[in-house]
């Protein structure tokens, strides 16, 4: 954009070009001194560097557009997963309300309506959301790092172009060598790395930041900040009186780029206060608009755990007996007794759906020492199209204490509250 102005360097002087702006203004003054020779060196002095600089701008523009496109795609995926998690949460709340109505009406709730199952589905979606958030952070970090690398390369190339233009003048016009040396001396203060840092702190390359230059006395300013962002302003303090507001960014301190870290900024301000001289701070007053500033959504693990604990009465591993062609075998399962009075038998801890469910309110429990010294049976009353009946579920624990614990916990939900002993010698 700068070179497209057709050599009108004064117009470019109005742009926020940082170090490049100083280079171009110096170039303008130098050209005035050797104006009659400008056409002679026009190609090497202007047209060729203009074409190269325009190519640099196109390349960084294409990459910035790619970042924006990829980021919007990632955010769309993340929003879909977040909306899905919220939908599962609404289904869980509905299941809780349905359970409450069943209890009030003293009706039996179907195992498939247990809020625990709805919550497990919700938890699965939240885990997926966490993974997508981690992936989002990683990808955004990589893109930001590549963006900074490309921008630093562009800055170095621009500096090389400007120095090459000055060298061309020096080679073509020996009589103007003094003017060239004066021009070069004016550029020794240009620090492109600091310019890039300050530019990024003020909001990045996607918009022109608004700034405010404020002079402070060498005493307490009343500022709270994190990184270079103002997070709080003490009422009645210097900062409050001078109009500093939370959200401002510290860009420059006494004409030099502010350090990136919170501790470094605080140490610099403390040193300047001790010196006793006024402190000039330039603030960026417009919130950053770069895509990288958007934080991904977050679901607290503690929040998930609290609800999970509230839904479950007892959880643990049990072995379940199954019979095939007259042969018996034991399979390790993960069992959950919910506060709805339903025992869900799952294949693993990570499963969000139950392999089978037992309605404890309609069941009887009995010890089965003939099957195994640590075994117990649950006889569940069932009903269907062809009439009512019963179904036997056989489980075993590893120890006597575990057997007692499971039987006691299951009895809390039985209507009879009795434990039978199966016939045995």
């Amino acid at each position: 954009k700068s070179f497209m102005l057709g050599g009108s360097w004064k117009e470019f002087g109005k742009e926020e070009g940082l170090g490049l702006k100083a280079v171009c203004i110096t170039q303008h003054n130098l050209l005035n001194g050797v104006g009659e020779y400008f056409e002679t060196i026009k190609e090497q002095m202007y047209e060729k560097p203009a074409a190269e600089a325009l190519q640099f701008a196109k390349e960084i523009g294409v990459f910035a557009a790619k970042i924006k496109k990829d980021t919007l795609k990632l955010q769309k995926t993340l929003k879909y997963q977040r909306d899905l998690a919220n939908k599962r949460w609404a289904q869980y709340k509905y299941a809780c309300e349905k359970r409450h109505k069943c209890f009030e009406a003293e009706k039996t709730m179907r195992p498939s309506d247990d809020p625990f199952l709805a919550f497990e589905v919700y938890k699965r979606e939240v885990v997926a959301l966490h993974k997508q958030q981690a992936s989002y952070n990683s990808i955004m970090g990589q893109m930001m790092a590549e963006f900074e690398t490309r921008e630093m390369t562009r800055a170095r190339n621009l500096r090389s172009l400007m120095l090459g233009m000055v060298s061309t003048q020096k080679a073509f016009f020996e009589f103007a060598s003094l003017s060239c040396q004066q021009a070069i001396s004016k550029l020794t203060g240009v620090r492109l790395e600091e310019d890039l840092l300050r530019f990024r702190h003020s909001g990045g390359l996607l918009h022109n930041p608004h700034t405010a230059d404020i002079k402070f006395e060498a005493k307490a300013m009343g500022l709270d900040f994190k990184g270079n962002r103002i997070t709080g302003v003490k009422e009645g303090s210097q900062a409050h009186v001078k109009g500093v507001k939370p959200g401002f960014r510290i860009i420059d301190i006494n004409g030099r780029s502010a350090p990136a870290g919170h501790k470094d900024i605080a140490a610099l301000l403390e040193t300047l206060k001790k010196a006793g001289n006024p402190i000039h701070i330039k603030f960026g007053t417009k919130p950053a608009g770069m895509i990288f500033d958007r934080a991904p959504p977050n679901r607290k693990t503690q929040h998930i755990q609290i609800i999970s604990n509230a839904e479950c009465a007892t959880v643990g591993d049990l072995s379940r007996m199954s019979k095939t062609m007259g042969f018996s075998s034991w399979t390790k399962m993960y069992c959950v007794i919910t506060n709805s009075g339903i025992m869900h038998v799952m294949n693993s801890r990570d499963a969000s759906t139950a392999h089978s469910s037992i309605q404890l309110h309609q069941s009887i429990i009995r010890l089965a020492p003939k099957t195994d010294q640590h075994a117990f049976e649950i006889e569940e009353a069932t009903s269907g199209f062809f009439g009512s009946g019963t179904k036997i579920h056989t489980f075993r624990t590893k120890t006597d204490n575990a057997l007692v614990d499971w039987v006691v916990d299951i009895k809390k939900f039985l209507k009879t509250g009795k434990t039978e002993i199966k016939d045995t010698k």
Side-chain angles (χ1 to χ4, degrees):
K1 179 180 178 181
S2 308
F3 285 101
M4 290 295 288
L5 291 170
S8 301
W9 302 105
K10 289 184 179 180
E11 290 297 319
F12 178 67
K14 297 178 182 178
E15 302 290 330
E16 184 66 23
L18 301 176
L20 183 58
K21 172 183 175 181
V23 173
C24 292
I25 291 176
T26 304
Q27 179 70 8
H28 167 70
N29 295 332
L30 182 59
L31 283 176
N32 282 342
V34 293
E36 63 183 83
Y37 298 101
F38 177 71
E39 292 298 327
T40 307
I41 60 170
K42 183 176 181 180
E43 181 179 357
Q44 294 181 347
M45 180 63 200
Y46 176 72
E47 294 177 355
K48 184 178 178 181
E52 293 184 20
L54 183 59
Q55 183 62 31
F56 297 153
K58 286 182 178 179
E59 290 175 358
I60 198 70
V62 170
F63 185 70
K66 180 180 180 301
I67 288 179
K68 186 174 182 180
K69 180 180 178 181
D70 293 346
T71 302
L72 291 176
K73 183 177 179 180
L74 287 172
Q75 289 176 347
K76 184 177 180 181
T77 303
L78 205 57
K79 181 180 182 300
Y80 172 81
Q81 186 63 35
R82 183 172 64 250
D83 291 343
L84 185 59
N86 290 335
K87 180 180 179 181
R88 301 306 184 199
W89 174 253
Q91 292 173 347
Y92 165 66
K93 289 176 64 178
Y94 174 75
C96 290
E97 294 173 0
K98 194 172 181 180
R99 174 177 63 187
H100 181 68
K101 291 180 181 179
C102 286
F103 285 176
E104 285 186 339
E106 297 184 355
K107 294 182 178 180
T108 301
M109 184 176 66
R110 292 183 302 175
S112 60
D113 293 336
D114 189 3
F116 170 78
L117 297 179
F119 180 75
E120 286 297 304
V121 176
Y122 166 73
K123 186 164 65 173
R124 180 188 64 196
E125 300 301 340
V126 170
V127 171
L129 181 60
H130 284 161
K131 292 181 180 179
Q132 288 192 8
Q133 289 171 182
S135 176
Y136 176 90
N137 292 335
S138 175
I139 294 174
M140 292 309 300
Q142 294 174 6
M143 287 195 296
M144 186 59 183
E146 186 174 356
F147 183 85
E148 291 185 355
T149 301
R150 289 178 178 235
E151 184 58 23
M152 286 295 296
T153 301
R154 187 172 77 103
R156 286 194 297 267
N157 290 337
L158 285 174
R159 181 171 61 179
S160 298
L161 284 177
M162 302 311 294
L163 293 177
M165 292 164 67
V166 174
S167 298
T168 300
Q169 286 185 343
K170 186 176 181 181
F172 272 90
F173 307 100
E174 294 181 355
F175 66 91
S177 61
L178 179 60
S179 297
C180 290
Q181 290 299 325
Q182 291 175 347
I184 293 174
S185 65
K186 291 180 180 179
L187 302 181
T188 56
V190 176
R191 305 177 67 87
L192 294 181
E193 291 77 8
E194 291 186 6
D195 288 343
L196 178 61
L197 179 64
R198 180 164 67 249
F199 215 38
R200 187 168 70 250
H201 283 181
S202 63
L205 301 177
L206 303 186
H207 66 80
N208 292 324
H210 298 283
T211 59
D213 294 299
I214 298 178
K215 179 180 177 181
F216 291 91
E217 297 180 13
K219 59 181 182 180
M221 299 177 185
L223 292 174
D224 293 325
F225 51 90
K226 184 176 182 180
N228 73 325
R229 185 189 294 273
I230 304 300
T231 57
V233 179
K234 186 176 181 181
E235 188 173 355
S237 63
Q238 283 193 84
H240 181 262
V241 173
K242 295 178 184 292
V244 181
K245 298 179 181 179
F248 280 18
R249 295 168 178 264
I250 300 175
I251 302 175
D252 289 348
I253 299 177
N254 281 357
R256 297 184 66 86
S257 299
H262 170 87
K263 293 183 179 180
D264 295 334
I265 294 177
L268 177 58
L269 291 177
E270 191 63 30
T271 301
L272 294 175
K273 288 178 189 176
K274 291 180 180 180
N277 298 320
I279 303 173
H280 297 266
I281 300 180
K282 177 186 281 189
F283 294 94
T285 60
K286 184 175 181 180
M290 290 192 71
I291 50 180
F292 309 106
D293 290 342
R294 297 185 182 179
N298 182 39
R299 295 275 178 171
K300 294 183 178 179
T301 304
Q302 182 181 8
H303 163 77
I304 299 293
Q305 191 60 44
I306 290 174
I307 300 178
S308 181
N309 293 340
E311 282 294 337
C312 300
T314 303
V315 297
D317 294 324
L318 287 174
S319 294
R320 180 178 183 174
M321 187 175 74
S322 58
K323 293 183 178 181
T324 305
M325 299 180 65
F327 294 94
S328 300
S329 62
W330 296 93
T331 305
K332 183 178 179 180
M333 308 293 281
Y334 180 67
C335 299
V336 180
I337 301 177
T338 71
N339 289 323
S340 303
I342 299 173
M343 181 174 175
H344 297 288
V345 183
M346 300 183 171
N347 291 325
S348 67
R349 292 177 180 266
D350 298 328
S352 58
T353 57
H355 178 272
S356 60
S357 301
I358 305 172
Q359 182 63 263
L360 297 181
H361 293 295
Q362 302 175 352
S363 303
I364 299 173
I365 186 173
R366 53 174 170 259
L367 303 178
K370 185 177 180 181
T371 303
D372 188 275
Q373 61 176 340
H374 297 138
F376 64 91
E377 295 179 349
I378 299 177
E379 181 179 329
E380 180 187 16
T382 60
S383 59
F385 181 78
F386 297 102
S388 58
T390 59
K391 185 177 182 180
I392 305 297
H393 306 271
T394 306
F395 300 92
R396 74 176 180 185
T397 64
K398 291 184 178 181
T399 64
D400 292 338
N401 290 337
L403 176 63
V404 173
D405 291 339
W406 275 100
V407 171
V408 170
D409 289 335
I410 292 173
K411 282 178 62 178
K412 296 176 183 177
F413 297 96
L414 304 182
K415 283 189 176 181
T416 61
K418 294 181 180 179
T419 307
E420 300 178 358
I421 302 296
K422 190 173 182 180
D423 294 338
T424 176
K425 296 181 180 180

